[in-house]
Amino acid sequence: MAQVQCPNGHLYEQVTHSACPSCPAPEQAASFSGSDAQTVLPAQAASGLRASGDSTLTVTDNRTAQTYTLPLQDGNIRALDLRRIKVHPDDFGMVSYDPAYLNTAACKSSITFIDGDKGILRYRGYAIEDLAEKCNFLEVAYLLLLGELPTEAESKEWEYKIQHHTMLHENAKKFMDGFHHNAHPMGMLVSTIAALSTFYPKARHVTDPDERMLNVLRLIAKMPTMAAYAYRHSRGFPYVYPDNSLSYTQNFMNMLWQMTEPNYVVNPSLARALDVLFILHADHEQNCGTTVMRCVGSAQADPFLTMAAAAAALAGPLHGGANEEVIKMLDEIGSVDHIPAYIRRVKAGELKLMGFGHRVYKSYDPRASIIKKAADEVFAVTGSNRRLDIALELERIALQDDYFMRRNLYPNVDFYSGIMYQALGFAPEMFTVLFAIPRTVGWLAQWQEMLEDPEQKIARPRQVYTGPELRKLASHP
């Protein structure tokens, strides 16, 4: 049966139900109207909600016939204003029920803008396509954290500061040595980030701007070092110290792959490709990991503990592990000839097409097209790749199939990034670690913005209690 979506976002079988079973019945509903029928704000248009000309929303509670006028801010209502809607004076008031925050804005942010319907991603107003083409990762990091792109002098000073915080305390290296030889690199990374809290006790002074920026620099600088050490530990290789004469990505690649040669030479094309991948993954608005960063940070935990929590969220397969699943899918398909049969099984509901579709983007993920272009440059250096051939043909077939078009299933950033990571020499277990390195910048920018926002308090969502009423405890013999 075909599923349709009601104005409130619920999916239901239209054949089975003439109206959405999840929405309240008409006699229980609150109706929304406005005094100016000509003004329909984009945020409310999909729900049929109308704003009045004076930026208010009129709500009629059909249970009580009471009418409320709620102010709009940036075209939206504040959830706390719903508390005014009550049946009895001693009621707590209405709350909005929104599992997984599908339609809840928990903050105001000036960092990243996404228009999922149009496939737009911007950092501080700059199109991701322009930044990936014309900037390096550290310039984009400066932009995300400080709001503007650096001048040439500011860029040199910024790079110098980061380069001189890349070293890891020797005791932190010993800490990493304690992990089992086959420990997952992401588990090692999350644990080591948290352990750094004990090396920098002043980091707990999160309201001190100077201390805060010092630890921002430390985290951006040390993430590649910790990631490289996690990788080399899993291979039984000795750790390689950072080389501050190299660029951010070149230094990371050197720490990963230098062996007995006195100077490991990083291919500049491959280093640039990794730089582009880092730019594309630097921030993505209020996703799961960023929400964790803001939530834990709202308790004023230090940035090391806060970021360890965000990285733990990223470690989940539904968040940061999707590109590894794409690699598994391509290996399962095996060859271009097997694609039609695989597509038939996907359409029959037997399999999922990994790397297609996105919670936010309802058209082509802009990052995917950039990665696809960068992949050509990588494979010009590394040689052809069987997985890429399968991926290109799979994309071609899917984008010509009405089944996928109707469902807005376009390639996302994970579809090509895993193929590129493997071509660059990374094992699948390192994919999420590679995601965490650039996302550090986005997490820290969002954390800093949250701390400076006077409206933010410690996060404490409400719940809709569905358990029993008061029960009496029977007396025991």
mmCIF file of all heavy atoms in Angstrom, residues 458-473:
data_model
loop_
_atom_site.group_PDB
_atom_site.id
_atom_site.type_symbol
_atom_site.label_atom_id
_atom_site.label_comp_id
_atom_site.label_asym_id
_atom_site.label_seq_id
_atom_site.Cartn_x
_atom_site.Cartn_y
_atom_site.Cartn_z
ATOM 1 N N ILE A 458 20.645 25.047 30.650
ATOM 2 C CA ILE A 458 20.943 23.622 30.618
ATOM 3 C C ILE A 458 19.774 22.889 29.953
ATOM 4 O O ILE A 458 18.607 23.159 30.246
ATOM 5 C CB ILE A 458 21.209 23.077 32.039
ATOM 6 C CG1 ILE A 458 21.622 21.594 31.952
ATOM 7 C CG2 ILE A 458 20.029 23.289 32.965
ATOM 8 C CD1 ILE A 458 22.130 21.029 33.269
ATOM 9 N N ALA A 459 20.095 22.006 29.024
ATOM 10 C CA ALA A 459 19.068 21.298 28.261
ATOM 11 C C ALA A 459 18.280 20.370 29.181
ATOM 12 O O ALA A 459 18.849 19.613 29.969
ATOM 13 C CB ALA A 459 19.710 20.504 27.130
ATOM 14 N N ARG A 460 16.936 20.457 29.057
ATOM 15 C CA ARG A 460 16.091 19.616 29.889
ATOM 16 C C ARG A 460 14.733 19.477 29.190
ATOM 17 O O ARG A 460 13.786 20.196 29.491
ATOM 18 C CB ARG A 460 15.910 20.239 31.267
ATOM 19 C CG ARG A 460 15.643 19.327 32.462
ATOM 20 C CD ARG A 460 14.518 18.394 32.279
ATOM 21 N NE ARG A 460 14.162 17.641 33.472
ATOM 22 C CZ ARG A 460 13.152 16.784 33.493
ATOM 23 N NH1 ARG A 460 12.428 16.589 32.383
ATOM 24 N NH2 ARG A 460 12.864 16.129 34.587
ATOM 25 N N PRO A 461 14.622 18.526 28.223
ATOM 26 C CA PRO A 461 13.349 18.387 27.512
ATOM 27 C C PRO A 461 12.249 17.820 28.398
ATOM 28 O O PRO A 461 12.516 17.228 29.449
ATOM 29 C CB PRO A 461 13.687 17.426 26.373
ATOM 30 C CG PRO A 461 14.865 16.667 26.866
ATOM 31 C CD PRO A 461 15.644 17.599 27.745
ATOM 32 N N ARG A 462 11.001 18.006 27.976
ATOM 33 C CA ARG A 462 9.847 17.433 28.663
ATOM 34 C C ARG A 462 9.569 16.045 28.118
ATOM 35 O O ARG A 462 10.149 15.607 27.121
ATOM 36 C CB ARG A 462 8.621 18.327 28.448
ATOM 37 C CG ARG A 462 8.766 19.732 29.038
ATOM 38 C CD ARG A 462 8.678 19.688 30.539
ATOM 39 N NE ARG A 462 8.900 21.020 31.112
ATOM 40 C CZ ARG A 462 8.880 21.268 32.426
ATOM 41 N NH1 ARG A 462 8.672 20.287 33.277
ATOM 42 N NH2 ARG A 462 9.083 22.489 32.879
ATOM 43 N N GLN A 463 8.655 15.351 28.771
ATOM 44 C CA GLN A 463 8.207 14.052 28.293
ATOM 45 C C GLN A 463 6.684 13.995 28.364
ATOM 46 O O GLN A 463 6.048 14.781 29.062
ATOM 47 C CB GLN A 463 8.795 12.927 29.142
ATOM 48 C CG GLN A 463 8.245 12.901 30.564
ATOM 49 C CD GLN A 463 8.652 11.653 31.330
ATOM 50 O OE1 GLN A 463 9.578 10.960 30.979
ATOM 51 N NE2 GLN A 463 7.928 11.345 32.402
ATOM 52 N N VAL A 464 6.100 13.069 27.617
ATOM 53 C CA VAL A 464 4.680 12.756 27.738
ATOM 54 C C VAL A 464 4.605 11.447 28.508
ATOM 55 O O VAL A 464 4.956 10.380 27.981
ATOM 56 C CB VAL A 464 4.006 12.631 26.357
ATOM 57 C CG1 VAL A 464 2.543 12.234 26.525
ATOM 58 C CG2 VAL A 464 4.119 13.936 25.586
ATOM 59 N N TYR A 465 4.185 11.530 29.755
ATOM 60 C CA TYR A 465 4.169 10.340 30.616
ATOM 61 C C TYR A 465 3.031 9.417 30.195
ATOM 62 O O TYR A 465 1.878 9.848 30.054
ATOM 63 C CB TYR A 465 3.999 10.754 32.079
ATOM 64 C CG TYR A 465 3.908 9.586 33.044
ATOM 65 C CD1 TYR A 465 5.004 8.764 33.274
ATOM 66 C CD2 TYR A 465 2.714 9.300 33.702
ATOM 67 C CE1 TYR A 465 4.932 7.699 34.153
ATOM 68 C CE2 TYR A 465 2.626 8.225 34.592
ATOM 69 C CZ TYR A 465 3.734 7.432 34.806
ATOM 70 O OH TYR A 465 3.660 6.372 35.681
ATOM 71 N N THR A 466 3.338 8.137 29.986
ATOM 72 C CA THR A 466 2.332 7.166 29.574
ATOM 73 C C THR A 466 2.223 6.003 30.557
ATOM 74 O O THR A 466 1.583 4.989 30.253
ATOM 75 C CB THR A 466 2.674 6.597 28.174
ATOM 76 O OG1 THR A 466 3.954 5.959 28.226
ATOM 77 C CG2 THR A 466 2.700 7.711 27.128
ATOM 78 N N GLY A 467 2.829 6.142 31.735
ATOM 79 C CA GLY A 467 2.801 5.066 32.722
ATOM 80 C C GLY A 467 1.539 5.091 33.564
ATOM 81 O O GLY A 467 0.619 5.883 33.328
ATOM 82 N N PRO A 468 1.474 4.230 34.574
ATOM 83 C CA PRO A 468 0.269 4.136 35.411
ATOM 84 C C PRO A 468 0.122 5.341 36.331
ATOM 85 O O PRO A 468 1.081 6.056 36.609
ATOM 86 C CB PRO A 468 0.504 2.856 36.211
ATOM 87 C CG PRO A 468 1.992 2.716 36.274
ATOM 88 C CD PRO A 468 2.501 3.241 34.967
ATOM 89 N N GLU A 469 -1.117 5.549 36.795
ATOM 90 C CA GLU A 469 -1.368 6.552 37.827
ATOM 91 C C GLU A 469 -0.825 6.021 39.156
ATOM 92 O O GLU A 469 -0.244 4.932 39.221
ATOM 93 C CB GLU A 469 -2.872 6.833 37.918
ATOM 94 C CG GLU A 469 -3.462 7.437 36.651
ATOM 95 C CD GLU A 469 -2.944 8.843 36.396
ATOM 96 O OE1 GLU A 469 -2.600 9.527 37.375
ATOM 97 O OE2 GLU A 469 -2.860 9.230 35.219
ATOM 98 N N LEU A 470 -1.069 6.768 40.237
ATOM 99 C CA LEU A 470 -0.561 6.364 41.546
ATOM 100 C C LEU A 470 -1.096 4.973 41.908
ATOM 101 O O LEU A 470 -2.268 4.687 41.785
ATOM 102 C CB LEU A 470 -1.021 7.378 42.614
ATOM 103 C CG LEU A 470 -0.646 7.039 44.054
ATOM 104 C CD1 LEU A 470 0.863 7.062 44.220
ATOM 105 C CD2 LEU A 470 -1.330 8.000 45.003
ATOM 106 N N ARG A 471 -0.158 4.115 42.301
ATOM 107 C CA ARG A 471 -0.538 2.779 42.746
ATOM 108 C C ARG A 471 -0.145 2.591 44.200
ATOM 109 O O ARG A 471 0.864 3.123 44.658
ATOM 110 C CB ARG A 471 0.156 1.738 41.865
ATOM 111 C CG ARG A 471 -0.270 1.791 40.420
ATOM 112 C CD ARG A 471 0.204 0.572 39.639
ATOM 113 N NE ARG A 471 1.654 0.602 39.413
ATOM 114 C CZ ARG A 471 2.317 -0.335 38.729
ATOM 115 N NH1 ARG A 471 1.656 -1.369 38.215
ATOM 116 N NH2 ARG A 471 3.607 -0.242 38.553
ATOM 117 N N LYS A 472 -0.947 1.837 44.909
ATOM 118 C CA LYS A 472 -0.684 1.556 46.318
ATOM 119 C C LYS A 472 0.182 0.298 46.438
ATOM 120 O O LYS A 472 -0.063 -0.694 45.742
ATOM 121 C CB LYS A 472 -1.995 1.357 47.079
ATOM 122 C CG LYS A 472 -2.897 2.572 47.099
ATOM 123 C CD LYS A 472 -2.274 3.721 47.883
ATOM 124 C CE LYS A 472 -3.244 4.896 47.995
ATOM 125 N NZ LYS A 472 -2.642 6.018 48.763
ATOM 126 N N LEU A 473 1.154 0.354 47.316
ATOM 127 C CA LEU A 473 2.000 -0.796 47.571
ATOM 128 C C LEU A 473 1.334 -1.711 48.576
ATOM 129 O O LEU A 473 1.015 -1.273 49.690
ATOM 130 C CB LEU A 473 3.376 -0.340 48.079
ATOM 131 C CG LEU A 473 4.423 -1.421 48.296
ATOM 132 C CD1 LEU A 473 4.800 -2.077 46.972
ATOM 133 C CD2 LEU A 473 5.667 -0.840 48.949
#
